[in-house]
Amino acid sequence: MAPHATTPPPDAHSIPHHPITVLASSRAVVAGRLTEATIVVSNVTGKITSIFHSVLPATDFPEGTTYRDYSPKILLPGLVDAHVHLNEPGRTEWEGFWTGTRAAAFGGVTTVIDMPLNAIPPTTTVENLKIKVDAAKNKCWVDVGFYGGVVPGNAHELKALVKEGVRGFKGFLIDSGVEEFPAVTSTDIEKALLALKDSATTLMFHAEMIPPITASVGDDVQRAFPPLAPSGPLTSYSTFLDSRPPSFETYAIDEILSLAHLAPNLPLHIVHLSAIEAIPLLREARANGIKITAETCFHYLALAAERVKDGDTRHKCCPPIRSQSNQDGLWDELLQDQADGVIKTVVSDHSPCTPNIKLLPPAFAPAKAPSTRKPGHKHDCESCESSEGEEEGPEEKGDFFSAWGGISSVGLGLPILWTEGTQRNPEFNIEDVVRWCCKNTAKQVGLERSKGDLGVGFDADIVVFDEEATFTVEPSTMLFRNKVSPYQDRTLKGVVCETWLRGERIFERDTGFMGKSGPTGKLLLEPRKMSK
């Protein structure tokens, strides 16, 4: 228990002889609680070696020790964003490892888990995973893990992907939007459950299906085409919202729950839960012993359908952003008692694309800048702004059905959540944010022994957070590749001043990115261990 002692101060002779770094603050979230803290980090291992629940002076440590007291700013564990589409290789003009992970580090995210689709090839086989890993090498500013995909016909690949170190699996119950990642049927889900039932992993679902209803919807909606009888203009957000009602989510979740008995020990997870109507289903399932959890996203907690303007397709995503009352219900569920709430995590679902396929009207389109890509330059670096794929198609500008669905927000989640939470309640708790975005997301992907907390033996992934400072979302604060986001021009509260990855400062707000040698993020490919 010594690492958490507050007195006496450490004896200089007890400090390890190898070099250390010491970070301190009058406020730090340690083991889920806000406390004073002095954190000692090994410069050899990049891990936290001891924590004292008081601010110790620099004189308590050997001469020459790197020591920083950040009081009164808050020290947080690095966020674990467990739902990010980085799209490389194959659609790197949408996003890549270099730009996506820099955007993450800017916002205090020190670990991202890359989704198996939108890259080409998708991460549905061991061979494809190796292609993805090769594309990521030497480009990641933060640590990166990978999900595998569940598609028709790949059940025989799943156990091998577990051994290769994927953090979980995702399948779609509705068309994904890309032809190389088709939706699964109930038979495919059965095969996946049986293949993974004894594995240390998590099986996740995009839970939307068209239920057997009498209203005119039509199968075309599965491919984001307009309904047979749309409720209004295709440039009106309400028309799009009407086409994907809450019953899409509840029907899909019912289907998943009906098959859960095939793998009673396998953790199941619903990604990007939008509709509050699904919450009672999940609560009942958990009460009956089914191991299922859900996540929601920053955009469902901060954006509301009533405020989406006609044609502003920056807001299009699936499931859709719903009403203000629905948003309120998601917040109510998040703030439930920790044991009872079914929504355990909050993630970005960063799903970017090039501006042209968002079909934005001029009023919402980003200003075009000339490409700075040098002739023959192939590296996907921050200076290489995308100019590929800018050809205009025949679709109508502002058409919510033809536009690509996805919200860009990696690296903005912490201030988005803090802004919305403190507006709702001035006493909103930073400890809740850490639970949703650090501790629980790390657990969801099997990294709870090394990520998501400030504790002895954990990676020294540390964020210096000024919860009172504000900034405006603009191109300079959107470090993801394509500057298209519904948060454009919003003022957010909460600024990440510094980001540390495994004991190394990689980003500082005033001076930018550290490390002349380039990015130092690791690829997290060690196979998961069974949870106790």
Side-chain angles (χ1 to χ4, degrees):
M1 305 248 343
H4 296 292
T6 55
T7 57
D11 183 341
H13 296 292
S14 71
I15 299 296
H17 292 297
H18 55 68
I20 59 172
T21 294
V22 178
L23 309 182
S25 179
S26 56
R27 296 185 300 163
V29 180
V30 177
R33 295 185 301 108
L34 193 63
T35 179
E36 293 186 1
T38 301
I39 302 169
V40 181
V41 178
S42 165
N43 292 346
V44 175
T45 65
K47 292 187 177 292
I48 297 171
T49 60
S50 56
I51 299 178
F52 301 89
H53 284 288
S54 59
V55 177
L56 303 179
T59 53
D60 280 355
F61 299 93
E63 186 177 353
T65 296
T66 299
Y67 175 94
R68 290 181 171 86
D69 181 356
Y70 291 102
S71 304
K73 296 181 177 68
I74 307 176
L75 300 183
L76 305 175
L79 275 67
V80 178
D81 193 338
H83 192 143
V84 177
H85 295 267
L86 292 175
N87 303 341
E88 187 175 1
R91 292 190 175 95
T92 312
E93 70 272 18
W94 294 15
E95 188 67 275
F97 288 104
W98 183 284
T99 48
T101 58
R102 279 171 77 90
F106 174 88
V109 177
T110 53
T111 305
V112 302
I113 313 298
D114 179 60
M115 278 290 163
L117 72 156
N118 295 352
I120 302 174
T123 315
T124 51
T125 67
V126 171
E127 180 183 0
N128 290 358
L129 172 64
K130 291 179 178 179
I131 293 171
K132 167 81 75 169
V133 169
D134 285 344
K137 289 177 180 177
N138 303 316
K139 294 180 183 176
C140 298
W141 291 88
V142 302
D143 289 352
V144 176
F146 304 92
Y147 287 123
V150 176
V151 295
N154 83 324
H156 64 284
E157 291 272 359
L158 303 183
K159 279 194 172 182
L161 282 164
V162 172
K163 291 180 181 179
E164 291 293 326
V166 299
R167 313 310 309 176
F169 293 89
K170 179 186 181 181
F172 274 70
L173 276 71
I174 199 168
D175 186 81
S176 71
V178 292
E179 62 182 12
E180 66 274 4
F181 202 95
V184 293
T185 65
S186 296
T187 301
D188 299 316
I189 296 173
E190 290 178 13
K191 291 178 180 178
L193 288 166
L194 293 173
L196 296 171
K197 66 178 182 178
D198 298 319
S199 297
T201 193
T202 301
L203 182 55
M204 311 184 303
F205 298 96
H206 179 127
E208 285 188 288
M209 291 176 72
I210 295 181
I213 56 178
T214 57
S216 175
V217 175
D219 287 346
D220 280 350
V221 172
Q222 292 201 68
R223 298 192 62 84
F225 294 142
L228 297 178
S231 63
L234 304 187
T235 54
S236 171
Y237 185 74
S238 62
T239 308
F240 175 67
L241 183 59
D242 289 344
S243 77
R244 295 183 95 102
S247 57
F248 275 35
E249 294 186 69
T250 56
Y251 185 56
I253 290 171
D254 269 333
E255 184 71 12
I256 294 161
L257 294 176
S258 73
L259 299 169
H261 66 279
L262 296 174
N265 296 317
L266 178 65
L268 306 177
H269 184 73
I270 305 301
V271 300
H272 49 51
L273 184 74
S274 166
I276 58 173
E277 289 84 352
I279 292 172
L281 299 176
L282 295 169
R283 186 178 290 127
E284 181 181 4
R286 287 172 58 82
N288 290 333
I290 296 177
K291 294 184 176 181
I292 191 165
T293 55
E295 68 190 34
T296 194
C297 301
F298 303 116
H299 43 273
Y300 298 134
L301 296 170
L303 306 175
E306 293 90 337
R307 296 194 292 274
V308 180
K309 296 180 179 179
D310 286 355
D312 192 354
T313 54
R314 294 175 300 180
H315 293 78
K316 181 187 175 178
C317 59
C318 298
I321 294 162
R322 302 193 187 277
S323 67
Q324 182 63 60
S325 61
N326 186 88
Q327 181 193 113
D328 296 341
L330 292 174
W331 273 99
D332 290 344
E333 180 63 20
L334 265 177
L335 294 169
Q336 287 277 332
D337 177 79
Q338 296 180 33
D340 292 340
V342 302
I343 302 176
K344 299 296 185 183
T345 55
V346 184
V347 297
S348 70
D349 188 10
H350 176 65
S351 185
C353 66
T354 52
N356 62 306
I357 60 174
K358 269 295 188 183
L359 302 180
L360 285 164
F364 306 117
K368 287 189 177 182
S371 173
T372 56
R373 186 183 298 271
K374 298 178 178 65
H377 185 65
K378 297 180 180 180
H379 193 56
D380 176 30
C381 61
E382 184 185 36
S383 65
C384 298
E385 294 305 327
S386 175
S387 61
E388 299 97 325
E390 294 301 321
E391 299 85 359
E392 300 298 338
E395 298 89 349
E396 180 183 0
K397 295 291 187 181
D399 182 341
F400 279 97
F401 293 87
S402 297
W404 175 260
I407 304 290
S408 292
S409 65
V410 68
L412 297 177
L414 176 57
I416 290 169
L417 201 56
W418 185 248
T419 300
E420 182 66 24
T422 52
Q423 286 176 349
R424 287 173 172 270
N425 180 357
E427 303 302 317
F428 180 62
N429 198 329
I430 193 65
E431 297 164 342
D432 286 334
V433 176
V434 168
R435 187 171 73 254
W436 302 330
C437 302
C438 305
K439 181 179 179 180
N440 288 356
T441 45
K443 182 178 180 181
Q444 177 184 319
V445 297
L447 293 171
E448 67 270 26
R449 296 175 179 87
S450 59
K451 304 287 187 183
D453 198 0
L454 299 182
V456 173
F458 280 72
D459 290 349
D461 298 348
I462 301 171
V463 175
V464 182
F465 184 58
D466 184 343
E467 86 276 23
E468 295 296 334
T470 62
F471 71 99
T472 300
V473 179
E474 55 190 14
S476 67
T477 55
M478 294 187 284
L479 272 61
F480 36 85
R481 184 162 193 158
N482 292 287
K483 319 302 183 187
V484 179
S485 176
Y487 299 104
Q488 173 83 39
D489 298 327
R490 288 193 173 217
T491 298
L492 298 179
K493 182 179 180 182
V495 168
V496 170
C497 302
E498 296 183 15
T499 302
W500 292 67
L501 178 68
R502 286 177 278 103
E504 179 183 351
R505 186 170 59 169
I506 60 171
F507 171 75
E508 200 272 328
R509 185 70 175 230
D510 291 334
T511 58
F513 285 86
M514 313 292 164
K516 296 180 181 178
S517 60
T520 58
K522 290 183 178 180
L523 306 184
L524 305 173
L525 292 168
E526 182 179 348
R528 288 179 62 165
K529 297 178 180 179
M530 296 293 286
S531 299
K532 296 180 179 179

